[in-house]
Amino acid sequence: AFWLACATAVTTLVLLIAGGLVTSQDVGMAVPDWPTTYGQNMFTFPLSRMVGGVGFEHTHRLLGSLVGLLTVVLSLVLWKFDARRWVKILGAVAVLAVAVQGFLGGFRVLLDERLLAVVHGSLAHAFFALVTVLAAITSASWLLAPADLASRGGASLRQWAVTTAIAAYSQIVLGAVLRHTGNLLELHLLLAFAVPALTFPLVERIRQAVPPDDVLARRARTLGRLVGTQLALGLLAYVAKGISPVAAEAPIPVVLVTVAHQVTGALILATVAAMALLIHHRARLAAPHAAASLEVVVP
């Protein structure tokens, strides 16, 4: 299940890149029908016609179908082989989410509705975080997690991580609104300072709570690097938008910076969501150990 979840997460990340390329070049309506592509079955649409915006949008659709297939298979594997009921439920939620995402994408085309594009883009990031979490909870680092956080502020760390995840996702939603409508730029810029203001103290607190080679410490360092990179990309994206305000006319470097900014945001959300769940898991494991120790000490 772990490797299948990893494959699903990686494919979803590629799909996010493809979606970012579609949005950054404003070619979301290059194929005006759905679920067909210019009246043909999308899976038999000829490669010779996949050029320009049609090529980007149709590739996005094919990748979406692949992610859907992988998600269904992953859910079936979890239901068959994972004994944890809540993990099975998460797998089923992933299937529901990818189905809703597919229909949102389709109706965005049929109705030519920008608001649906905002919802579609926002849900894509949440779905990527979900499949990343599924990879995390089926990994050896989860199954062999030490019970060591109860006495080190595990509950406080968890709350801080959850707050950081909420801020990161709020920033993603604002980014989606900005990309598709051009609105809420000021709010997006304001929240850009909130995410690092939450992230860097979280990274430091984790550094103090666990050894440097602990998986949680490694993920915290990764999160810090991602947020630092995102700040630089955000500045470049802002400058690039000023240079080329019309998406359909944006040169390749501007498109690449915008897509990198979007994808890094998705990686930040997925990383901090997985960290929050791992912190919660380890704090819960530690709680019975702490209670047992108290019983020994206090007659």
Side-chain angles (χ1 to χ4, degrees):
F2 169 67
W3 290 111
L4 181 56
C6 288
T8 306
V10 170
T11 308
T12 303
L13 185 62
V14 176
L15 175 60
L16 282 173
I17 294 171
L21 289 170
V22 168
T23 301
S24 297
Q25 298 177 94
D26 199 20
V27 293
M29 290 300 297
V31 180
D33 54 332
W34 180 86
T36 54
T37 299
Y38 285 100
Q40 297 189 33
N41 184 305
M42 63 179 291
F43 300 110
T44 60
F45 189 72
L47 293 175
S48 60
R49 296 181 63 185
M50 290 177 59
V51 294
V54 174
F56 283 106
E57 170 60 14
H58 188 67
T59 300
H60 179 228
R61 294 185 181 192
L62 293 177
L63 284 169
S65 300
L66 178 58
V67 168
L69 176 61
L70 287 171
T71 305
V72 170
V73 174
L74 173 60
S75 180
L76 292 174
V77 169
L78 292 174
W79 275 93
K80 178 71 174 177
F81 298 107
D82 201 302
R84 297 166 293 178
R85 185 171 179 270
W86 66 276
V87 176
K88 300 177 190 287
I89 292 173
L90 275 184
V93 169
V95 172
L96 177 62
V98 81
V100 170
Q101 181 71 339
F103 281 108
L104 279 173
F107 282 111
R108 180 268 183 271
V109 170
L110 295 177
L111 301 176
D112 192 9
E113 176 56 61
R114 291 272 177 175
L115 179 59
L116 285 178
V118 172
V119 179
H120 181 64
S122 301
L123 181 58
H125 288 73
F127 177 78
F128 174 62
L130 175 57
V131 292
T132 301
V133 163
L134 285 171
I137 63 180
T138 54
S139 66
S141 61
W142 178 279
L143 300 175
L144 303 176
D148 62 351
L149 286 180
S151 61
R152 304 183 184 182
S156 176
L157 278 176
R158 178 184 61 222
Q159 292 166 3
W160 199 292
V162 169
T163 302
T164 305
I166 292 171
Y169 189 60
S170 299
Q171 182 71 325
I172 284 169
V173 173
L174 289 173
V177 172
L178 178 61
R179 285 196 308 277
H180 290 285
T181 70
N183 298 325
L184 302 183
L185 171 61
E186 294 80 5
L187 192 55
H188 184 63
L189 292 173
L190 180 63
L191 196 57
F193 295 98
V195 174
L198 288 166
T199 298
F200 295 128
L202 173 64
V203 171
E204 178 60 22
R205 293 181 67 179
I206 290 175
R207 187 190 68 80
Q208 295 175 3
V210 297
D213 60 342
D214 187 283
V215 63
L216 197 53
R218 294 198 300 270
R219 289 181 183 174
R221 289 194 294 270
T222 298
L223 177 63
R225 295 186 188 105
L226 284 171
V227 171
T229 301
Q230 184 70 329
L231 287 171
L233 286 171
L235 178 60
L236 287 174
Y238 182 75
V239 172
K241 187 68 175 177
I243 295 173
S244 182
V246 180
E249 300 173 359
I252 292 299
V254 171
V255 170
L256 293 179
V257 166
T258 305
V259 173
H261 183 54
Q262 174 191 339
V263 171
T264 304
L267 290 170
I268 289 170
L269 175 64
T271 301
V272 74
M275 284 173 57
L277 205 56
L278 181 58
I279 291 168
H280 174 70
H281 174 59
R282 287 169 63 165
R284 285 189 62 192
L285 285 177
H289 290 264
S293 299
L294 187 62
E295 289 175 3
V296 171
V297 174
V298 180

